[in-house]
Amino acid sequence: MMIVVIGKSGQLAKELADISNEEQLVCLGRNDIDITSMSSIEEQLGKHKPTAVINASAYTAVDKAETEKEQAFLINHKAVENLANYCKTNNVHFVHVSTDYVFKGDKGSPYLPNDTIEPQGVYGASKAAGERAIADICPNISCIIRTSWVYSQYGNNFVKTMLKLMQEKDELGIICDQIGSPTWAKGLAHACVNAAENKVVGIHHWTDSGVASWYDFAVAIQEIGIEQGLVKKITYIKPIMSEEYITAAKRPSYSVLNKLSSYKYFQSDVFHWKSELTKMMNNLAELKYE
């Protein structure tokens, strides 16, 4: 088994590298491969002869995408189309990570994998276009894994931003009317490898279990941070509505994903988001994160 991960510096790619050995998995970053170029893909993947490709690379600047539409679609659609064509031609299993942003966010109950997608912004639309490319090109040798609210000890994410702001601010206003499921990238990494090794096909959802608002998430980060010595003082966390914090891109108000198919097809353990958050923040504490 040889798995090539597209991505090297992102939080998911780093977690994938952590859980796998070098004989089984190699990560290719933007300095190693240009996924917008078919010739680069053929040359670089040809060197490794993968049995599976995991695409952990994406344009994820949700607000900037509103003014950088061409770049968002280049990475999230055209590059995915290129990878799908390579996998089809070479009979390589393709695992692609997508997002809850492909949904409108007004269903009020967990979204099923086959629910109608209706993205509300450029980022979601570009990810939806990537999904459609895979479905058109290599549906029988691909697995799309939608996820949400991903964080890790690596990279930039909500958890690390909150820890920083809690050191600097006496009060934080955090949105309380957007609901989803926080997801530790390590669990997502295990799901991706499982999908690659077992050649899981179709669209599936993977997040940690349970639901939260961004406000709930921030409160948990502070509570756990105080317990583990990552937070040195109490910051008042004030719940606010989305209309009080205007962003360039509209966020889904409810993007909880139904994960029942994942429980069936993925041989990965599922844990509540708060217990996973505790584990990740314990890792940060051991690294003496500041």
Side-chain angles (χ1 to χ4, degrees):
M1 189 79 190
M2 168 51 68
I3 300 171
V4 169
V5 173
I6 305 299
K8 199 171 191 176
S9 59
Q11 52 187 354
L12 176 56
K14 284 186 173 293
E15 295 285 6
L16 282 161
D18 278 356
I19 68 170
S20 304
N21 59 61
E22 294 181 0
E23 290 75 29
Q24 180 199 29
L25 182 145
V26 60
C27 294
L28 301 180
R30 63 188 63 184
N31 293 329
D32 306 307
I33 187 171
D34 177 5
I35 55 175
T36 68
S37 165
M38 200 66 215
S39 60
S40 178
I41 290 173
E42 290 170 346
E43 178 183 356
Q44 298 305 319
L45 293 186
K47 292 178 181 178
H48 297 282
K49 295 181 173 55
T51 51
V53 168
I54 297 174
N55 185 25
S57 174
Y59 180 105
T60 58
V62 176
D63 290 318
K64 285 179 68 176
E66 294 300 308
T67 55
E68 295 184 354
K69 182 176 180 178
E70 185 176 341
Q71 183 67 14
F73 271 84
L74 180 64
I75 301 301
N76 292 343
H77 175 216
K78 180 59 180 176
V80 173
E81 184 178 72
N82 289 343
L83 291 168
N85 277 315
Y86 174 87
C87 289
K88 178 182 179 180
T89 300
N90 295 277
N91 194 31
V92 173
H93 197 70
F94 187 29
V95 178
H96 174 69
V97 179
S98 193
T99 175
D100 57 329
Y101 276 68
V102 300
F103 294 115
K104 185 175 182 180
D106 63 351
K107 182 182 176 184
S109 60
Y111 280 95
L112 296 163
N114 61 352
D115 277 343
T116 301
I117 60 174
E118 194 176 353
Q120 298 298 290
V122 172
Y123 167 68
S126 66
K127 293 294 287 185
E131 288 190 12
R132 286 192 292 269
I134 294 170
D136 290 341
I137 295 166
C138 58
N140 298 322
I141 54 169
S142 63
C143 177
I144 295 170
I145 302 177
R146 296 192 188 117
T147 190
S148 67
W149 297 24
V150 179
Y151 65 88
S152 166
Q153 69 191 59
Y154 302 111
N156 300 314
N157 53 67
F158 184 78
V159 177
K160 294 171 76 173
T161 298
M162 286 298 103
L163 289 173
K164 181 176 184 294
L165 291 176
M166 287 169 188
Q167 301 295 88
E168 300 171 351
K169 307 286 186 181
D170 294 323
E171 179 177 313
L172 292 172
I174 306 297
I175 292 172
C176 65
D177 61 343
Q178 292 175 15
I179 309 298
S181 298
T183 306
W184 186 14
K186 185 175 290 295
L188 176 61
H190 280 288
C192 289
V193 170
N194 184 280
E197 290 178 337
N198 294 293
K199 297 186 177 180
V200 177
V201 172
I203 300 176
H204 304 281
H205 293 162
W206 181 273
T207 69
D208 293 332
S209 64
V211 301
S213 68
W214 290 110
Y215 169 79
D216 297 327
F217 197 9
V219 169
I221 291 166
Q222 179 166 253
E223 290 175 348
I224 297 166
I226 290 171
E227 291 173 0
Q228 299 184 345
L230 290 168
V231 176
K232 308 300 182 183
K233 66 178 182 66
I234 298 291
T235 297
Y236 174 60
I237 303 175
K238 176 184 176 182
I240 64 172
M241 304 298 284
S242 297
E243 61 195 33
E244 299 177 65
Y245 187 77
I246 304 301
T247 56
K250 183 179 180 181
R251 268 69 173 170
S253 60
Y254 184 94
S255 62
V256 179
L257 302 176
N258 183 302
K259 299 169 284 290
L260 291 181
S261 68
S262 295
Y263 301 157
K264 178 179 179 181
Y265 290 104
F266 297 167
Q267 298 169 2
S268 299
D269 293 328
V270 181
F271 301 99
H272 191 271
W273 67 265
K274 196 167 183 179
S275 67
E276 293 295 85
L277 176 63
T278 301
K279 294 173 194 172
M280 191 286 282
M281 291 181 65
N282 183 61
N283 288 350
L284 285 181
E286 290 177 351
L287 293 170
K288 295 181 173 55
Y289 176 79
E290 296 181 359

